[in-house]
Amino acid sequence: MTGDLTRVSAGPMTVGSRRHSRDGGVAGPGPTIGIVEDQRAVAEMLAEVLTEHGFHPVLFGPPFGAERIAGSGAAVLLLDIVLGRDSGWDLLDAVRTEPTTRELPTIITSALYARPGLHTLPAGGPIVFMPKPFDIDDLIVAIRRLVASGATRDS
Amino acid sequence: MELRRSAEPFQIGPQRACATYLLAIAPRLMSNWVLRVANLPVFRADPNMELAPLRGRMGALLPAVVASLVVNDPALDDEPGRLVETIAADHGRLRGQLGTPIGVVLIEFQELRRLVWAATESWAIEHGDPEAVRVLTDRLMTTLDRAQVASVEAWVGSPGVAIHARAS
């Protein structure tokens, strides 16, 4: 019934009928979207939906680390704040410390997210908060906007 | 005031259009259902659970429910309704085998009902056809009630499920 979530980031993974590459991504022409999510079922569902919308999802399971995210070339990061024993806030700090991902647009998702003001947001790229459960269409809209804003910044 | 039976034959045009819309957005509805159900403590407690067992048979149930809505008269053609019951029973049986509490199964159906109802309502607002939606919603609720009963009955009958008498 269950599998080791580590496989999501460290080895090949199948989402639906698609075979994922070494980093858990699906070969595709669209922008790469990093997914940091400790619930495997949610991560798989997000990967399916993003693939259907033309994105290239890359899943990151535990152990969570900013280095792998930096190496993925992600255009947008989906970050769940509650990561089992790990903290998404700590990971966000680490991502914002890496020079290559300091400006990475990030969508913070959490069922426990209440008031972002309780945390000091690190400087860097734009951050969008989406409390769970969000509508999947709203997520796609937010990703497209962030991808577009990144393209504008880069040009 | 005239009472209407849920199984009344309906004007197939608008209802079919709404059902077609529901079928088109079924994958999105299922994604939203997964996001909601995955938040339940029983599933949060198992972060390694894969998508397929989390979905159970709900992914097949939703299109079957929608298909059953466009039957002109369920009293004359109950085949789609029976298919809904069969799939819902499979789902309940799977949940029983996983040891999922019956309350969680009921919440799963409540979430599905909320999502489909909201989508039906949004279609009605856009197309301004409340009467079509009233009939469709009536039938939808009847079908989902039937699915829920089938699922619960199968859960109760699944191997490994023990019904304990409440201690007095």
Side-chain angles (χ1 to χ4, degrees):
Chain A
M1 177 187 87
T2 59
D4 177 3
L5 191 60
T6 306
R7 285 192 302 123
V8 176
S9 58
M13 174 188 170
T14 300
V15 171
S17 59
R18 300 176 180 90
R19 188 73 180 165
H20 279 234
S21 66
R22 190 175 186 287
D23 291 327
V26 175
T32 296
I33 310 297
I35 301 172
V36 179
E37 168 64 62
D38 69 325
Q39 275 191 280
R40 185 181 177 114
V42 174
E44 289 181 5
M45 183 275 290
L46 291 172
E48 271 189 13
V49 171
L50 291 176
T51 302
E52 284 160 11
H53 284 82
F55 296 106
H56 173 210
V58 178
L59 312 183
F60 301 102
F64 302 105
E67 302 78 16
R68 294 212 321 272
I69 295 170
S72 70
V76 173
L77 182 66
L78 303 187
L79 174 61
D80 186 9
I81 284 300
V82 180
L83 298 170
R85 283 168 292 185
D86 297 308
S87 164
W89 294 115
D90 292 342
L91 182 58
L92 181 62
D93 283 338
V95 166
R96 293 292 163 109
T97 303
E98 285 273 335
T100 54
T101 52
R102 181 180 162 80
E103 298 298 323
L104 178 60
T106 301
I107 297 175
I108 291 178
T109 66
S110 176
L112 299 180
Y113 153 71
R115 286 179 288 178
L118 293 173
H119 304 271
T120 303
L121 295 178
I127 292 177
V128 173
F129 289 91
M130 295 196 75
K132 287 181 180 175
F134 46 81
D135 187 287
I136 204 73
D137 281 0
D138 292 340
L139 177 69
I140 297 299
V141 168
I143 290 173
R144 285 190 174 137
R145 283 184 180 157
L146 289 175
V147 168
S149 73
T152 305
R153 274 197 315 275
D154 293 343
S155 63
Chain B
M1 187 176 131
E2 184 191 357
L3 292 176
R4 291 173 179 267
R5 294 182 301 119
S6 64
E8 66 187 307
F10 55 34
Q11 300 299 313
I12 209 75
Q15 285 87 354
R16 187 179 290 279
C18 183
T20 301
Y21 166 73
L22 292 176
L23 211 51
I25 65 165
R28 184 189 121 207
L29 293 177
M30 272 317 298
S31 296
N32 285 331
W33 181 87
V34 166
L35 280 170
R36 280 150 183 77
V37 169
N39 257 339
L40 297 173
V42 67
F43 295 123
R44 281 211 65 85
D46 185 6
N48 287 329
M49 184 182 223
E50 295 177 354
L51 182 56
L54 181 72
R55 276 184 180 143
R57 296 284 286 147
M58 282 296 186
L61 181 65
L62 181 54
V65 166
V66 175
S68 76
L69 301 179
V70 292
V71 174
N72 192 41
D73 188 349
L76 298 174
D77 181 8
D78 196 32
E79 187 66 32
R82 283 198 297 273
L83 178 62
V84 166
E85 283 185 330
T86 301
I87 297 170
D90 284 347
H91 185 80
R93 202 170 297 112
L94 286 170
R95 288 298 190 243
Q97 288 164 0
L98 284 175
T100 310
I102 190 63
V104 171
V105 178
L106 293 173
I107 291 172
E108 289 183 317
F109 276 91
Q110 286 168 5
E111 293 293 354
L112 182 69
R113 191 182 297 254
R114 279 198 193 99
L115 289 164
V116 177
W117 162 249
T120 306
E121 200 173 46
S122 87
W123 184 90
I125 291 168
E126 191 175 331
H127 292 83
D129 197 340
E131 174 60 13
V133 170
R134 188 195 66 74
V135 177
L136 194 65
T137 301
D138 189 28
R139 193 174 283 186
L140 179 71
M141 295 304 159
T142 303
T143 304
L144 284 173
D145 284 345
R146 196 172 159 183
Q148 190 169 305
V149 168
S151 197
V152 168
E153 285 180 349
W155 181 93
V156 170
S158 62
V161 168
I163 307 295
H164 299 287
R166 184 187 294 262
S168 58

